[in-house]
Amino acid sequence: MSGSQGHPPGIPPSMSPAGGLHRRLLDRLRARAGAQVRGLTRSNSGLSLDYDNPPGDPGLFGPDAVCWRVHADFPAMLAGGVSALLMQTMHPLALAGVWDHSTFRTDMQGRLGRTAQFIAGTTYGSRADALALIDRVRRIHAAVKGTAPDGRPYAADDPALLTWVHVAEVSSFLTAYLRYVGPLSLAEQDRYYEEEARIAELLGATEVPRSTAAIATYLERMRPELVVSERSREVVRLVMAMPVASPLLVPAVRIMADAGIALLPHWAQRELGLHGATAIRRPVSLAGMRVLAPTLRWALGSGLAARARRRAAKPAPAALAQSS
C-alpha cells in the first residue's frame, strides 16, 4: 500500500512539524489512526500469517504480479469488497449458503476481516501460508450445504457457485482500482484476471473467465440466474448501516460503502433498489474517495505489499535455493 511516510496528506514537507516532540506526536497519531483503520478488516479466524518469512519466497505470484498492485490499495479494496458482497447476494444459492452458515448478520466486521485475510494471504503470503489458507477454505466449504428458499439444494464447494463468487470479487476489485487509484492497460487487466483465476481453480472453481472480455460475457450470461429477494435487501440494509467500533471512522466507512455501491453495474444497482441516487452517487463517491483515500494510505503506511516485497528480495537459504 502506498502512502506518504513522513506527514499527513495536505501538509507540504516544508510546513510539516519540526523537532523530536512533534515527530513523536505525529508518529503516535499515525499509529493510532492506522490501528483503528486496520480494525475494520482485522480477522478473527485465529490464524496468524508471517509476511516476512521465509526469505526469498515470492509467494504464489511474486512482486511483478498485477494483483500485487491492485490488492495493495486499502481504500479501493474496501470499496470493492462492498461491491462484491452486494453482487454475490444476487445469486440465490450463494446467498443461501452465507445466510444459513455465516454470522455475517451479527458480525459483518468479522466476515470482512476473514475475507481480507484470505485475499492478503493468498496475494502476499508465503507459498506455504497461501496454500494453507486455500486448504482451510476448502475444508470449510465442504461442510456448507443446505436447501435454498426456492427448494434448490446448494453446496459451497459447487464449482459453478465458486466461479460466481470469484468473478463478483475480482471484477469489483479491479473496477475499484481503475476508478479510485489509476489506470491499467487492457493487457494488465487481463493479466490480473489470469492470475486470480489460479486462486479460484485451487478452491475448486471451473470454467473460470480469464480476461476482461470473458468476465463481461460471463456476467451478462449470469444475469437471468440472479434474483433480488428480501434477504438481498436485508444485506443491503446491513451494509448501509455497517457498525463501526470507533465513531471517528463512521464517516470514512459511509464514504467507502457509497463508493462500493457506485462500482456496481447499473443493472445491479437497479435490481438492488440502489439506482435512485445513481446520477449523483458516482461524482460524490469520487470526490469523497479523493479526500479520504490519501489520509487512509498515510495512516496505514507501506503495508503488507512492502513486507512481502522485502521478503521476496532476501537471499533464500541455500537449502531452499537448491530444492527450488
Side-chain angles (χ1 to χ4, degrees), residues 290-308:
R290 286 194 185 104
V291 173
L292 173 66
T295 302
L296 293 181
R297 291 168 188 145
W298 169 80
L300 291 166
S302 56
L304 297 179
R307 291 172 60 186

Side-chain angles (χ1 to χ4, degrees), residues 46-302:
L47 298 177
S48 180
L49 305 181
D50 184 357
Y51 292 94
D52 303 304
N53 291 292
D57 188 333
L60 294 182
F61 301 104
D64 294 331
V66 179
C67 64
W68 274 48
R69 271 186 281 166
V70 172
H71 294 173
D73 192 79
F74 180 90
M77 287 294 287
L78 191 53
V82 169
S83 178
L85 175 61
L86 295 175
M87 281 282 287
Q88 289 166 359
T89 63
M90 297 180 70
H91 194 299
L93 300 185
L95 177 56
V98 173
W99 193 274
D100 295 342
H101 298 269
S102 170
T103 60
F104 85 98
R105 280 171 287 165
T106 56
D107 184 25
M108 185 170 288
Q109 186 280 323
R111 177 173 172 79
L112 180 64
R114 292 188 295 275
T115 301
Q117 183 184 59
F118 179 82
I119 294 166
T122 53
T123 305
Y124 303 114
S126 67
R127 179 179 177 83
D129 278 353
L131 294 177
L133 280 169
I134 291 169
D135 183 62
R136 179 177 183 272
V137 170
R138 289 191 68 128
R139 292 197 307 271
I140 293 171
H141 282 172
V144 176
K145 302 179 187 298
T147 303
D150 61 11
R152 287 185 293 168
Y154 66 80
D157 55 5
D158 176 359
L161 207 53
L162 288 166
T163 298
W164 165 252
V165 172
H166 164 77
V167 170
E169 286 186 351
V170 295
S171 61
S172 295
F173 294 151
L174 185 56
T175 301
Y177 185 91
L178 294 173
R179 186 168 299 177
Y180 300 130
V181 183
L184 291 171
S185 69
L186 182 58
E188 289 172 321
Q189 295 176 47
D190 288 347
R191 271 183 58 202
Y192 173 74
Y193 287 131
E194 179 72 31
E195 290 164 1
E196 288 301 294
R198 182 181 179 189
I199 302 297
E201 289 170 348
L202 287 171
L203 286 170
T206 56
E207 300 181 21
V208 182
R210 313 175 83 89
S211 68
T212 304
I215 290 283
T217 299
Y218 174 85
L219 288 173
E220 189 63 29
R221 178 168 60 82
M222 289 296 295
R223 284 184 62 181
E225 298 186 33
L226 306 181
V227 177
V228 174
S229 64
E230 285 304 314
R231 288 182 170 185
S232 306
R233 295 186 183 94
E234 175 66 6
V235 174
V236 172
R237 187 191 70 76
L238 290 170
V239 168
M240 298 302 290
M242 190 183 302
V244 182
S246 171
L248 295 175
L249 290 177
V250 171
V253 170
R254 297 294 176 264
I255 288 172
M256 284 186 282
D258 210 48
I261 292 169
L263 297 172
L264 289 165
H266 291 310
W267 55 264
Q269 291 187 31
R270 185 173 60 253
E271 295 284 338
L272 288 166
L274 296 167
H275 61 293
T278 298
I280 64 170
R281 178 169 279 125
R282 178 165 178 165
V284 168
S285 64
L286 278 169
M289 288 289 277
R290 286 194 185 104
V291 173
L292 173 66
T295 302
L296 293 181
R297 291 168 188 145
W298 169 80
L300 291 166
S302 56

